[in-house]
């Protein structure tokens, strides 16, 4: 099956054992596009769940034609979360796909955009796709297959056989390796690519992530916790701490097609480091206290809350 060929690693966030091998760099070179990746061309070959694709977009009008052309057919819905673009992003999306849903994000930042998209999605599965062309929407079936094979959360990785990147620098690769190793030690995970934002999950697990789509922006101009690029690290850690079953799916990252990336290796690295420490020690403690108040076991509290809400 596709998922079994594309999935690199399967593990549960409930694992608590730690060993030094988790800090070892992956023994995989970055691949060329398409090496080792096998995905079905459509969702019509076998019964698929309803898939919602959430695409945060800020001034991405020139990139949307490429992104939309790669989307698999028979998707349940495509949601563009517009970050108050000043270009033709919204009009271009509607022109390319008349059935697209346009959501205006409530505050600013990628994290807030994802929170708004997750809240609006109605499918069984949600796939997160960037609007700059770096993530290949044609890989979505591999993520869906991983979920159908038993995962709660399908996590993209550039560092498994069949994955790779034409965009990552040596500095970012080294930083990602260090940060991934830190999370693996602190959280008992086996992530090979902490800082990659191409993921998919069952929509019923959205409450686990604890993202806020409704609160107003702070009056002092700052952002709420998780509203920025740190959201990907935050989601990965919360998925693990909630005990969700995670499968890593090999993915190839392409260079942005048009425009300039807002990523900064140093400042964003520090932000991710802060997110790791806060989520591991401060936020986890708060969630444990809330779980105890509700009479739930610490390790599975978030997952049980989700099940009870269904």
């Amino acid at each position: 099956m596709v998922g079994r060929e594309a999935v690199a690693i399967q593990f549960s966030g409930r694992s608590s054992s730690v060993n030094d091998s988790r800090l070892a760099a992956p023994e995989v070179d970055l691949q060329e596009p398409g090496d080792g990746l096998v995905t079905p061309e459509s969702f019509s070959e076998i019964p698929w769940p309803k898939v919602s694709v959430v695409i945060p977009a800020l001034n991405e009008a020139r990139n949307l034609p490429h992104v939309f052309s790669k989307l698999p057919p028979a998707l349940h819905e495509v949601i563009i979360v517009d970050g108050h673009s000043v270009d033709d992003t919204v009009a271009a999306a509607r022109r390319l796909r008349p059935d697209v849903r346009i959501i205006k994000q409530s505050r600013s930042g990628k994290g807030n955009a994802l929170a708004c998209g997750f809240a609006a999605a109605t499918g069984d599965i949600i796939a997160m796709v960037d609007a700059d062309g770096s993530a290949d929407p044609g890989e979505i079936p591999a993520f869906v297959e991983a979920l159908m094979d038993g995962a709660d959360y399908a996590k993209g990785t550039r560092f498994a056989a069949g994955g790779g990147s034409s965009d990552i620098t040596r500095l970012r690769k080294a930083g990602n390796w260090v940060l991934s190793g830190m999370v693996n030690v602190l959280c008992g995970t086996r992530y090979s690519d902490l800082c990659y934002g191409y993921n998919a999950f069952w929509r019923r697990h959205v409450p686990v992530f604890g993202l806020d789509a409704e609160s107003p922006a702070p009056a002092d101009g700052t952002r709420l916790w998780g509203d920025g690029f740190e959201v990907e690290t935050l989601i990965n850690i919360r998925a693990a701490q909630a005990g969700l079953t995670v499968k890593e799916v090999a993915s190839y990252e392409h260079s942005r097609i048009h425009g300039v990336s807002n990523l900064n290796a140093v400042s964003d690295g520090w932000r991710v480091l802060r997110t790791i420490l806060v989520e591991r020690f401060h936020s986890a403690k708060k969630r444990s206290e809330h779980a105890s108040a509700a009479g739930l076991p610490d390790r599975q509290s978030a997952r049980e809350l989700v099940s009870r809400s269904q």
Side-chain angles (χ1 to χ4, degrees):
M1 295 179 68
V2 173
R4 293 192 181 96
E5 293 181 15
V7 172
I9 302 172
Q10 178 180 3
F11 57 93
S12 168
R14 288 187 292 271
S15 172
S16 59
S17 61
V18 176
N19 59 64
D20 292 339
S21 65
R22 292 181 183 178
L23 285 172
E27 298 294 332
V28 178
D29 293 329
L30 298 184
Q31 307 285 317
E32 290 300 318
D35 284 358
L37 292 178
V38 181
T39 59
E41 294 184 359
S42 77
F43 287 91
S44 60
E45 298 174 7
I46 58 176
W48 290 88
K50 295 178 180 178
V51 179
S52 298
V53 179
V54 173
I55 307 175
L58 175 60
N59 300 324
E60 299 286 6
R62 292 191 296 167
N63 292 324
L64 289 182
H66 172 83
V67 174
F68 277 31
S69 71
K70 296 289 187 177
L71 288 168
L75 293 169
H76 173 62
E77 62 186 353
V78 177
I79 301 173
I80 290 288
V81 186
D82 180 52
H84 310 287
S85 299
V86 296
D87 68 353
D88 201 32
T89 292
V90 172
R94 287 177 172 152
R95 182 173 61 252
L96 293 164
R97 192 177 181 108
D99 64 341
V100 71
R101 294 182 60 196
I102 305 293
I103 305 296
K104 292 287 185 181
Q105 67 178 98
S106 56
R107 297 183 296 275
S108 65
K110 183 176 183 179
N112 174 241
L114 290 173
C116 293
F118 296 170
T122 61
D124 303 307
I125 287 173
I126 298 175
M128 306 159 47
V129 176
D130 287 340
D132 60 6
S134 59
D136 181 2
E139 295 175 357
I140 288 175
F143 286 81
V144 174
E145 191 77 24
L147 296 172
M148 293 181 69
D149 280 348
D152 298 312
Y153 182 72
K155 186 188 177 315
T157 175
R158 296 162 290 185
F159 303 114
S165 176
S166 57
D167 182 63
I168 194 169
T169 64
R170 289 184 178 179
L171 177 60
R172 286 173 51 209
K173 182 180 178 183
N176 189 17
W177 172 69
V178 171
L179 295 169
S180 297
M182 179 178 293
V183 169
N184 290 341
V185 169
L186 294 176
C187 301
T189 57
R190 289 180 294 190
Y191 291 148
S192 65
D193 195 355
L194 178 70
C195 303
Y196 191 44
Y198 195 178
N199 309 301
F201 50 88
W202 294 100
R203 182 169 63 92
R204 63 179 177 265
H205 295 306
V206 167
V208 164
F209 306 142
L211 302 180
D212 181 350
E214 299 179 356
S215 297
D220 60 3
T222 59
R223 286 178 172 171
L224 294 185
W225 181 245
D227 269 4
F229 280 108
E230 72 276 5
V231 67
E232 292 153 359
T233 298
L234 180 149
I235 288 175
N236 290 333
I237 293 176
R238 290 184 178 178
Q241 293 184 330
L244 300 188
T245 299
V246 179
K247 285 186 179 180
E248 289 201 328
V249 178
S251 176
Y252 191 92
E253 178 188 39
H254 301 267
S255 298
R256 164 183 276 273
I257 301 173
H258 298 289
V260 179
S261 173
N262 293 319
L263 290 173
N264 181 286
V266 177
S267 62
D268 288 330
W270 281 113
R271 185 159 51 184
V272 169
L273 176 59
R274 177 170 177 260
T275 301
I276 293 171
L277 297 176
V278 170
E279 284 298 314
R280 173 60 182 86
F281 297 108
H282 180 67
S283 298
K285 181 180 179 181
K286 277 192 172 182
R287 286 194 296 275
S288 177
E289 291 172 352
H290 293 161
S292 297
L296 297 172
D298 287 354
R299 291 293 293 177
Q300 296 187 357
S301 59
R303 196 171 189 176
E304 293 294 333
L305 284 170
V306 173
S307 298
R308 290 184 181 187
S309 67
Q310 295 175 0

